[in-house]
Amino acid sequence: MASRPVLLMTVLLSFQLFITTSLSQTSQVSDRDLAALIKIREHFGNPNLFPGWRPGTTCISWWPAACNEQGRVTKLFLDNLLGIKELLTVNSTLPPAISELEMLETLSIMSIPGLHGPIPESYGNLRHLSLFNIIATNVSGSIPASLSRTNLTSVSLSKNKLTGPIPRSLQKLPYLSYFDASYNDLVGTIPPGLVRSTPDSPAALQLDGNRLSGTIPRSYRFERNSMEFRVANNRLTGDASFLFGRHKTVSGTIDLSGNKFRFNLTGVEMPMHLGFLNLSHNRIYGGVPVSLRETRVSVLDLSYNELCGEIPTGGHMVQFKAAAYEHNKCLCGTPLPPCTNGR
């Protein structure tokens, strides 16, 4: 039987070997991430970008990349608003090497007008990716269906030049609660079940300023959990009244303006906590719903529809000006001219 000093020495040597091996493995893994960062910098063609991304450096000098405790890159922020002025001079496509950062959870690319070309399909290999932003660039092409292989919870692809339909494969993302692809050139229909609402994560769908058509899927008929819904200035049609409901906890925005929706607004029960409602420039008929009096709506626009009848009074209806009701079929009453016997 080994003596205690010998046993203790054996344990210490084993622990030292474990630490040395672990550090070596961590270093090798981190070196792979650094190699990917160097490829990204070289892809942009500007040697002055990201001076910390060079051989022999460690994660502490890799900003705007951030690492976890194991030294793996988990966040990457490419954003000229962070003070990286050289990004304003970039004239490049998106670097495919970003997909080599295999532990990446956050990828945010913003306000780089020189970025163009498609989103690489290989970004779908980032299985840990949770937050994905590409905002205010000239990136074009389609939204990759391969993103359905990631772990996305939040996506913002606004103010780019994206085309084609929204991939239905994104329905497979079980935790996606925020999706913003506004102000692109997307076509086709809105996929059902694209975002999901939970008590901890209210859903938001923002698709303003595209060329989407068809009807809104009824999967967005959230009964209890809150949701923000913006689809202004598309080519959508049909009945969208199911988005509303007296007991729904929609607390933010419903913006359906600039489409071709057609439904009777008279009996629609407005969510009590709704703050912003824009139904303008549609084909909505009927009257202004009485339920508006008891809501928290502070911004209202029902103009340019086919509404008729007397505008309800009472509650906080007094705050809405005439512009909220103008260019309808035959609305009358405060703040518009008084109703006559024929109206």
Side-chain angles (χ1 to χ4, degrees):
M1 182 175 179
S3 64
R4 285 190 176 183
V6 173
L7 182 60
L8 179 60
M9 182 64 68
T10 302
V11 170
L12 289 174
L13 288 172
S14 299
F15 181 72
Q16 183 179 19
L17 178 62
F18 170 77
I19 292 296
T20 303
T21 303
S22 298
L23 288 174
S24 175
Q25 290 174 344
T26 300
S27 176
Q28 290 173 2
V29 169
S30 297
D31 286 347
R32 289 210 307 270
D33 284 352
L34 177 58
L37 294 176
I38 291 172
K39 287 182 184 178
I40 294 167
R41 188 190 69 235
E42 291 175 346
H43 181 89
F44 285 138
N46 186 341
N48 297 319
L49 272 175
F50 318 122
W53 296 2
R54 299 188 185 281
T57 59
T58 59
C59 184
I60 197 170
S61 64
W62 292 353
W63 182 257
C67 302
N68 60 15
E69 294 179 354
Q70 288 72 44
R72 304 302 308 274
V73 173
T74 57
K75 297 178 174 62
L76 181 60
F77 303 95
L78 303 178
D79 180 355
N80 69 30
L81 299 179
L82 295 174
I84 307 171
K85 296 180 180 179
E86 290 82 3
L87 287 174
L88 283 172
T89 65
V90 163
N91 183 13
S92 170
T93 56
L94 287 166
I98 288 176
S99 62
E100 298 177 22
L101 299 170
E102 55 191 31
M103 299 303 291
L104 197 64
E105 299 171 3
T106 296
L107 175 58
S108 188
I109 301 171
M110 297 175 60
S111 302
I112 308 177
L115 274 182
H116 56 270
I119 301 172
E121 286 282 344
S122 60
Y123 287 9
N125 297 333
L126 296 168
R127 58 191 180 92
H128 297 284
L129 189 64
S130 175
L131 188 150
F132 182 38
N133 296 336
I134 300 178
I135 302 172
T137 73
N138 279 297
V139 168
S140 59
S142 59
I143 300 172
S146 62
L147 292 176
S148 62
R149 302 198 301 265
T150 65
N151 192 41
L152 287 171
T153 62
S154 175
V155 175
S156 185
L157 302 173
S158 63
K159 299 178 182 178
N160 295 296
K161 294 185 176 179
L162 297 172
T163 57
I166 301 170
R168 285 184 171 260
S169 62
L170 300 186
Q171 296 170 305
K172 300 176 183 178
L173 294 165
Y175 307 111
L176 184 63
S177 62
Y178 182 91
F179 187 86
D180 181 359
S182 55
Y183 303 105
N184 283 283
D185 200 20
L186 299 174
V187 298
T189 59
I190 300 174
L194 189 60
V195 292
R196 293 166 173 79
S197 182
T198 68
D200 298 326
S201 184
L205 184 64
Q206 300 185 15
L207 299 171
D208 314 55
N210 283 285
R211 294 191 292 127
L212 298 169
S213 57
T215 59
I216 296 174
R218 287 189 170 263
S219 60
Y220 297 104
R221 185 177 182 170
F222 291 91
E223 296 296 340
R224 294 184 178 86
N225 298 324
S226 60
M227 180 173 187
E228 183 167 328
F229 200 89
R230 292 178 176 266
V231 293
N233 300 315
N234 280 283
R235 301 174 181 179
L236 299 167
T237 58
D239 185 350
S241 61
F242 64 85
L243 293 172
F244 305 93
R246 184 65 171 169
H247 300 292
K248 293 186 180 182
T249 55
V250 179
S251 56
T253 296
I254 293 182
D255 190 347
L256 308 181
S257 60
N259 284 284
K260 299 178 182 179
F261 292 115
R262 183 167 178 79
F263 56 91
N264 190 337
L265 191 62
T266 307
V268 171
E269 294 286 341
M270 292 293 166
M272 293 185 65
H273 300 285
L274 185 65
F276 180 106
L277 177 62
N278 191 342
L279 303 180
S280 66
H281 294 86
N282 279 287
R283 299 172 181 175
I284 300 169
Y285 60 95
V288 177
V290 176
S291 60
L292 267 175
R293 294 187 302 199
E294 301 173 23
T295 68
R296 297 181 182 177
V297 171
S298 58
V299 178
L300 175 70
D301 194 347
L302 303 178
S303 62
Y304 291 91
N305 279 289
E306 300 173 12
L307 299 173
C308 198
E310 186 170 7
I311 298 170
T313 57
H316 67 287
M317 297 296 288
V318 67
Q319 69 180 306
F320 304 129
K321 307 302 181 184
Y325 307 106
E326 290 177 339
H327 301 284
N328 273 285
K329 187 175 181 181
C330 52
L331 282 180
C332 58
T334 306
L336 296 180
C339 298
T340 63
N341 291 335
R343 297 173 68 182

